[in-house]
Each structure stands twice: as structure tokens, then as C-alpha cells.
């Protein structure tokens, strides 16, 4: 499984942006996909994930502001992260993550990371 992340960039405080993660390879084996982020000097933290069955989980710091979704295919291979009300604390490298053996993250597969910078 290969994960390709896109989106993000520079956003103003209070703004919105969207990240996309597309899986390729043996994508039909994926049970869960989601996002982690890592800010400079901080540990990597869960942002959100969504299972093949549609169950979602969010990190406490993004609840109510971020929404994760997937395409409608049964074995979805693309997930989207809608990010709203962005704050400078959301500045980080966002990593797509997926797993094919469990329904929880962190999983076995990682994308290359995409930078989100929120200007104050």
C-alpha cells in the first residue's frame, strides 16, 4: 500500500483547508485511514481516522473543527480531512496513515507528509 497526501499549505488564522490522502497498491485490504500531525518539538499526535465501516475518531484538539470523510466505495481508498477555524497551533506536518490488519491507528503505512502552516 502506498499513500499519497496532498493539500494544505499556508492558511490564515480562522481559515480552512482540505487534505486528501489517496491509497494505491493493495488498497482493498485497508481497514482504516487517517491523519497524524507533528509540530516542531512536539510528538506526533492523532488528528482523525475513519474505518472502512465509517466509524470516526478525532483528537481532542480538533473536535468540532475538523471533519474526516471518505469516498463512497465499499473499499474506500481516498480520505479527506476538512479543516476549519484553523489556528497557529494547527501548524504541523500532517501525515496520512493506514492499516490493513486492524481497525485502529497508528497503522503500518505512512504517507510522505504535507505541511500546513497557519499564519497569525
Amino acid at each position: 500500500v502506498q499513500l499519497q497526501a496532498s493539500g494544505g499549505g499556508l492558511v490564515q488564522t480562522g481559515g480552512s483547508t482540505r487534505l486528501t490522502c489517496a491509497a494505491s497498491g493493495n488498497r482493498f485490504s485497508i481497514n482504516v485511514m487517517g491523519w497524524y500531525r507533528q509540530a516542531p518539538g512536539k510528538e506526533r499526535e492523532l488528528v482523525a481516522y475513519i474505518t472502512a465501516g465509517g466509524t470516526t475518531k478525532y483528537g481532542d484538539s480538533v473536535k468540532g473543527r475538523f471533519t474526516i470523510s471518505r469516498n463512497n466505495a465499499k473499499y474506500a481508498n481516498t480520505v479527506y480531512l476538512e479543516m476549519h477555524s484553523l489556528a497557529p497551533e494547527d501548524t504541523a506536518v500532517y501525515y496520512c496513515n493506514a492499516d490493513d490488519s486492524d481497525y485502529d491507528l497508528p497503522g503500518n503505512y505512512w504517507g510522505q507528509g504535507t505541511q500546513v502552516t497557519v499564519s497569525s
Side-chain angles (χ1 to χ4, degrees), residues 63-88:
K63 286 179 181 177
R65 300 189 298 122
F66 291 10
T67 302
I68 191 168
S69 62
R70 59 187 177 92
N71 63 21
N72 292 325
K74 181 178 181 181
Y75 296 101
N77 64 350
T78 303
V79 293
Y80 310 96
L81 185 69
E82 298 282 348
M83 306 163 64
H84 301 287
S85 301
L86 286 164

CSV table of all heavy atoms in Angstrom, one decimal, residues 63-88:
chain,number,residue,atom,x,y,z
A,63,LYS,N,-11.6,18.3,17.6
A,63,LYS,CA,-13.0,18.0,17.6
A,63,LYS,C,-13.9,19.3,17.4
A,63,LYS,O,-13.6,20.3,18.0
A,63,LYS,CB,-13.4,17.4,19.0
A,63,LYS,CG,-13.0,15.9,19.1
A,63,LYS,CD,-13.4,15.3,20.4
A,63,LYS,CE,-12.9,13.9,20.6
A,63,LYS,NZ,-13.2,13.4,21.9
A,64,GLY,N,-14.8,19.1,16.5
A,64,GLY,CA,-15.7,20.3,16.2
A,64,GLY,C,-15.2,21.2,15.2
A,64,GLY,O,-15.9,22.1,14.7
A,65,ARG,N,-13.9,21.0,14.8
A,65,ARG,CA,-13.3,21.9,13.8
A,65,ARG,C,-12.9,21.1,12.5
A,65,ARG,O,-12.9,21.7,11.4
A,65,ARG,CB,-12.1,22.6,14.3
A,65,ARG,CG,-12.4,23.5,15.5
A,65,ARG,CD,-11.1,24.3,15.9
A,65,ARG,NE,-10.0,23.5,16.3
A,65,ARG,CZ,-8.8,23.5,15.7
A,65,ARG,NH1,-8.6,24.3,14.7
A,65,ARG,NH2,-7.8,22.7,16.1
A,66,PHE,N,-12.5,19.9,12.7
A,66,PHE,CA,-12.0,19.1,11.6
A,66,PHE,C,-13.1,18.0,11.3
A,66,PHE,O,-13.7,17.5,12.2
A,66,PHE,CB,-10.7,18.4,11.9
A,66,PHE,CG,-9.5,19.4,12.0
A,66,PHE,CD1,-9.7,20.8,12.0
A,66,PHE,CD2,-8.2,18.9,12.1
A,66,PHE,CE1,-8.6,21.6,12.1
A,66,PHE,CE2,-7.1,19.7,12.1
A,66,PHE,CZ,-7.3,21.1,12.2
A,67,THR,N,-13.2,17.6,10.0
A,67,THR,CA,-14.1,16.5,9.7
A,67,THR,C,-13.3,15.6,8.7
A,67,THR,O,-12.8,16.1,7.7
A,67,THR,CB,-15.3,17.0,9.0
A,67,THR,OG1,-16.0,17.9,9.9
A,67,THR,CG2,-16.3,15.9,8.6
A,68,ILE,N,-13.4,14.3,9.0
A,68,ILE,CA,-12.8,13.3,8.1
A,68,ILE,C,-13.9,12.6,7.4
A,68,ILE,O,-14.9,12.3,8.0
A,68,ILE,CB,-11.8,12.4,8.9
A,68,ILE,CG1,-11.0,11.5,7.9
A,68,ILE,CG2,-12.6,11.5,9.9
A,68,ILE,CD1,-9.9,10.8,8.6
A,69,SER,N,-13.6,12.3,6.1
A,69,SER,CA,-14.6,11.6,5.3
A,69,SER,C,-13.9,10.7,4.3
A,69,SER,O,-12.7,10.8,4.2
A,69,SER,CB,-15.6,12.6,4.6
A,69,SER,OG,-14.8,13.4,3.7
A,70,ARG,N,-14.6,9.9,3.6
A,70,ARG,CA,-14.0,9.0,2.6
A,70,ARG,C,-14.9,9.0,1.4
A,70,ARG,O,-16.1,9.3,1.5
A,70,ARG,CB,-13.8,7.6,3.2
A,70,ARG,CG,-15.2,7.0,3.7
A,70,ARG,CD,-14.9,5.7,4.4
A,70,ARG,NE,-16.2,5.1,4.9
A,70,ARG,CZ,-16.9,4.2,4.2
A,70,ARG,NH1,-16.5,3.9,3.0
A,70,ARG,NH2,-18.0,3.8,4.7
A,71,ASN,N,-14.4,8.4,0.4
A,71,ASN,CA,-15.2,8.3,-0.8
A,71,ASN,C,-16.2,7.2,-0.6
A,71,ASN,O,-16.2,6.4,0.4
A,71,ASN,CB,-14.4,8.1,-2.1
A,71,ASN,CG,-13.6,6.8,-2.1
A,71,ASN,OD1,-13.9,5.9,-1.3
A,71,ASN,ND2,-12.6,6.7,-2.9
A,72,ASN,N,-17.2,7.0,-1.4
A,72,ASN,CA,-18.3,6.1,-1.2
A,72,ASN,C,-18.1,4.7,-1.6
A,72,ASN,O,-19.0,3.9,-1.4
A,72,ASN,CB,-19.5,6.7,-1.8
A,72,ASN,CG,-20.0,8.0,-1.3
A,72,ASN,OD1,-19.9,8.2,-0.1
A,72,ASN,ND2,-20.5,8.9,-2.1
A,73,ALA,N,-16.9,4.4,-2.1
A,73,ALA,CA,-16.7,3.0,-2.5
A,73,ALA,C,-16.6,2.1,-1.2
A,73,ALA,O,-16.2,2.6,-0.2
A,73,ALA,CB,-15.4,2.9,-3.3
A,74,LYS,N,-17.0,0.9,-1.4
A,74,LYS,CA,-17.0,0.0,-0.2
A,74,LYS,C,-15.6,-0.1,0.4
A,74,LYS,O,-15.4,-0.1,1.6
A,74,LYS,CB,-17.5,-1.4,-0.6
A,74,LYS,CG,-17.6,-2.4,0.5
A,74,LYS,CD,-18.1,-3.7,0.1
A,74,LYS,CE,-18.2,-4.7,1.2
A,74,LYS,NZ,-18.7,-6.0,0.8
A,75,TYR,N,-14.6,-0.3,-0.5
A,75,TYR,CA,-13.3,-0.4,0.0
A,75,TYR,C,-12.6,0.9,-0.4
A,75,TYR,O,-11.8,1.0,-1.3
A,75,TYR,CB,-12.5,-1.6,-0.6
A,75,TYR,CG,-13.1,-2.9,-0.2
A,75,TYR,CD1,-14.0,-3.6,-1.1
A,75,TYR,CD2,-12.8,-3.4,1.0
A,75,TYR,CE1,-14.5,-4.8,-0.7
A,75,TYR,CE2,-13.4,-4.6,1.4
A,75,TYR,CZ,-14.2,-5.3,0.6
A,75,TYR,OH,-14.8,-6.5,0.9
A,76,ALA,N,-13.0,2.0,0.4
A,76,ALA,CA,-12.6,3.3,0.1
A,76,ALA,C,-11.1,3.4,0.1
A,76,ALA,O,-10.4,2.9,1.0
A,76,ALA,CB,-13.2,4.3,1.1
A,77,ASN,N,-10.6,4.1,-0.9
A,77,ASN,CA,-9.1,4.3,-0.9
A,77,ASN,C,-8.7,5.8,-0.9
A,77,ASN,O,-7.5,6.1,-1.1
A,77,ASN,CB,-8.5,3.6,-2.1
A,77,ASN,CG,-9.0,4.3,-3.4
A,77,ASN,OD1,-9.9,5.1,-3.4
A,77,ASN,ND2,-8.5,3.9,-4.5
A,78,THR,N,-9.6,6.7,-0.6
A,78,THR,CA,-9.3,8.1,-0.5
A,78,THR,C,-10.1,8.7,0.7
A,78,THR,O,-11.3,8.4,0.8
A,78,THR,CB,-9.7,8.9,-1.8
A,78,THR,OG1,-9.1,8.3,-2.9
A,78,THR,CG2,-9.3,10.3,-1.7
A,79,VAL,N,-9.3,9.4,1.5
A,79,VAL,CA,-9.9,10.1,2.6
A,79,VAL,C,-9.6,11.6,2.5
A,79,VAL,O,-8.6,12.0,1.9
A,79,VAL,CB,-9.5,9.5,4.0
A,79,VAL,CG1,-10.0,8.1,4.2
A,79,VAL,CG2,-8.0,9.6,4.1
A,80,TYR,N,-10.5,12.3,3.1
A,80,TYR,CA,-10.4,13.8,3.1
A,80,TYR,C,-10.5,14.3,4.5
A,80,TYR,O,-11.2,13.8,5.3
A,80,TYR,CB,-11.6,14.4,2.3
A,80,TYR,CG,-11.7,13.7,0.9
A,80,TYR,CD1,-12.7,12.7,0.7
A,80,TYR,CD2,-11.0,14.1,-0.2
A,80,TYR,CE1,-12.8,12.1,-0.5
A,80,TYR,CE2,-11.1,13.5,-1.4
A,80,TYR,CZ,-12.0,12.5,-1.6
A,80,TYR,OH,-12.2,11.9,-2.8
A,81,LEU,N,-9.7,15.3,4.8
A,81,LEU,CA,-9.7,16.0,6.0
A,81,LEU,C,-10.1,17.5,5.8
A,81,LEU,O,-9.2,18.2,5.3
A,81,LEU,CB,-8.4,15.8,6.8
A,81,LEU,CG,-8.4,16.4,8.2
A,81,LEU,CD1,-9.3,15.5,9.1
A,81,LEU,CD2,-6.9,16.5,8.7
A,82,GLU,N,-11.3,17.8,6.2
A,82,GLU,CA,-11.7,19.2,6.1
A,82,GLU,C,-11.3,19.9,7.4
A,82,GLU,O,-11.7,19.5,8.5
A,82,GLU,CB,-13.2,19.3,5.9
A,82,GLU,CG,-13.7,18.7,4.6
A,82,GLU,CD,-13.5,19.6,3.4
A,82,GLU,OE1,-13.1,20.8,3.6
A,82,GLU,OE2,-13.7,19.1,2.3
A,83,MET,N,-10.6,21.0,7.3
A,83,MET,CA,-10.0,21.7,8.5
A,83,MET,C,-10.6,23.1,8.5
A,83,MET,O,-10.3,23.9,7.5
A,83,MET,CB,-8.5,21.7,8.4
A,83,MET,CG,-7.9,20.3,8.2
A,83,MET,SD,-6.2,20.2,7.7
A,83,MET,CE,-5.4,21.0,9.0
A,84,HIS,N,-11.2,23.4,9.6
A,84,HIS,CA,-11.9,24.8,9.7
A,84,HIS,C,-11.4,25.4,11.0
A,84,HIS,O,-10.8,24.8,11.9
A,84,HIS,CB,-13.4,24.6,9.7
A,84,HIS,CG,-13.9,24.0,8.5
A,84,HIS,ND1,-14.0,24.6,7.3
A,84,HIS,CD2,-14.4,22.8,8.3
A,84,HIS,CE1,-14.5,23.8,6.4
A,84,HIS,NE2,-14.8,22.7,6.9
A,85,SER,N,-11.6,26.7,11.0
A,85,SER,CA,-11.3,27.5,12.2
A,85,SER,C,-9.8,27.3,12.6
A,85,SER,O,-9.5,27.1,13.8
A,85,SER,CB,-12.2,27.2,13.4
A,85,SER,OG,-13.5,27.5,13.1
A,86,LEU,N,-9.0,27.3,11.6
A,86,LEU,CA,-7.6,27.0,11.9
A,86,LEU,C,-6.9,28.0,12.8
A,86,LEU,O,-7.2,29.2,12.7
A,86,LEU,CB,-6.8,26.8,10.6
A,86,LEU,CG,-7.2,25.5,9.8
A,86,LEU,CD1,-6.7,25.6,8.4
A,86,LEU,CD2,-6.5,24.3,10.5
A,87,ALA,N,-6.0,27.5,13.6
A,87,ALA,CA,-5.2,28.4,14.5
A,87,ALA,C,-3.7,28.1,14.3
A,87,ALA,O,-3.4,27.0,13.8
A,87,ALA,CB,-5.7,28.1,15.9
A,88,PRO,N,-2.9,29.0,14.8
A,88,PRO,CA,-1.4,28.7,14.6
A,88,PRO,C,-1.0,27.4,15.3
A,88,PRO,O,0.0,26.8,14.8
A,88,PRO,CB,-0.8,29.9,15.4
A,88,PRO,CG,-1.8,31.0,15.1
A,88,PRO,CD,-3.1,30.4,15.2
